[in-house]
Amino acid sequence: MKDFQYEIVTIPEYRAIGLKWNGSYSEVEQLKEIIKEMSKRVHELDDAISPEYQLGLSYHLRPDGFTHYSVYEVSDKQVIPNGMIEIFVPELTYLKTQHKKGENIGETYMKILQWMKESEYDIYKEKDIDYFDELPIKHETYTSDRDLMDPHFVIHIPILKMS
């Protein structure tokens, strides 16, 4: 794929704190509100490592929707504020690419799927968990100055080298 720009990166284990949403695709407007609320509450995370980068961690654990964590990476010292949750993300290898402003998000993910089919990598899946999407785990990183109507963001898809 000539026009697909990517890199393979390994990200060490990290701890993140924020808000959790679990819903159907038809309820996705609620998720947008959760993301906005979390971006307004980042000031409650005194030990946020990079408060200018909001993380969106999506796990497709249900056939009609997904679970999403709108979080910020934090240090071990960070206390969990009222109404928030913590999540620990293990060290993983990722396909890293960009979704650019003005592009179709669905097309960006189709390019990722196409790359996966042609690559020497498999999609990472946790053992004994049923997933309901061809890209079951999607980690996105948003800058605080993003345009919510036409966002740009970094996409990380956990992968494993085929043996």
Side-chain angles (χ1 to χ4, degrees), residues 139-151:
H139 291 181
E140 299 172 344
T141 304
Y142 309 93
T143 57
S144 56
D145 65 348
R146 72 188 178 276
D147 176 352
L148 294 174
M149 301 311 290
D150 186 14

Side-chain angles (χ1 to χ4, degrees), residues 75-124:
S75 75
D76 292 338
K77 295 187 302 185
Q78 179 65 55
V79 175
I80 304 169
N82 193 29
M84 292 190 197
I85 54 86
E86 73 179 334
I87 182 171
F88 291 91
V89 179
E91 179 176 294
L92 293 168
T93 299
Y94 294 89
L95 164 70
K96 176 184 177 184
T97 190
Q98 303 262 344
H99 172 73
K100 295 183 177 124
K101 213 172 172 45
E103 293 184 356
N104 179 293
I105 293 171
E107 285 179 23
T108 299
Y109 277 107
M110 289 306 293
K111 287 179 185 176
I112 292 169
L113 263 177
Q114 186 61 40
W115 181 88
M116 288 299 307
K117 289 175 183 169
E118 297 171 7
S119 78
E120 58 199 27
Y121 291 91
D122 278 328
I123 302 286
Y124 168 84

Side-chain angles (χ1 to χ4, degrees), residues 13 39 51 61 66 93 98-99 117 127 148 150 154 156:
E13 174 185 56
S39 65
L61 304 172
F66 58 101
T93 299
Q98 303 262 344
H99 172 73
K117 289 175 183 169
K127 285 187 170 95
L148 294 174
D150 186 14
V154 175
H156 290 95

Side-chain angles (χ1 to χ4, degrees), residues 8-26:
I8 305 301
V9 299
T10 298
I11 299 176
E13 174 185 56
Y14 64 91
R15 176 181 183 234
I17 290 179
L19 299 173
K20 178 182 177 182
W21 176 84
N22 182 28
S24 68
Y25 293 113
S26 64

Side-chain angles (χ1 to χ4, degrees), residues 27-86:
E27 300 169 312
V28 102
E29 285 302 314
Q30 295 170 6
L31 171 58
K32 291 177 182 178
E33 293 306 312
I34 294 284
I35 292 168
K36 281 187 214 168
E37 179 185 346
M38 191 59 229
S39 65
K40 290 177 186 167
R41 291 185 64 186
V42 66
H43 68 276
E44 296 176 44
L45 301 174
D46 295 330
D47 291 304
I49 290 170
S50 298
E52 67 277 15
Y53 293 109
Q54 186 173 9
L55 307 176
L57 313 178
S58 294
Y59 298 84
H60 294 264
L61 304 172
R62 50 188 281 182
D64 66 335
F66 58 101
T67 299
H68 182 90
Y69 298 88
S70 182
V71 295
Y72 290 86
E73 185 177 352
V74 296
S75 75
D76 292 338
K77 295 187 302 185
Q78 179 65 55
V79 175
I80 304 169
N82 193 29
M84 292 190 197
I85 54 86
E86 73 179 334

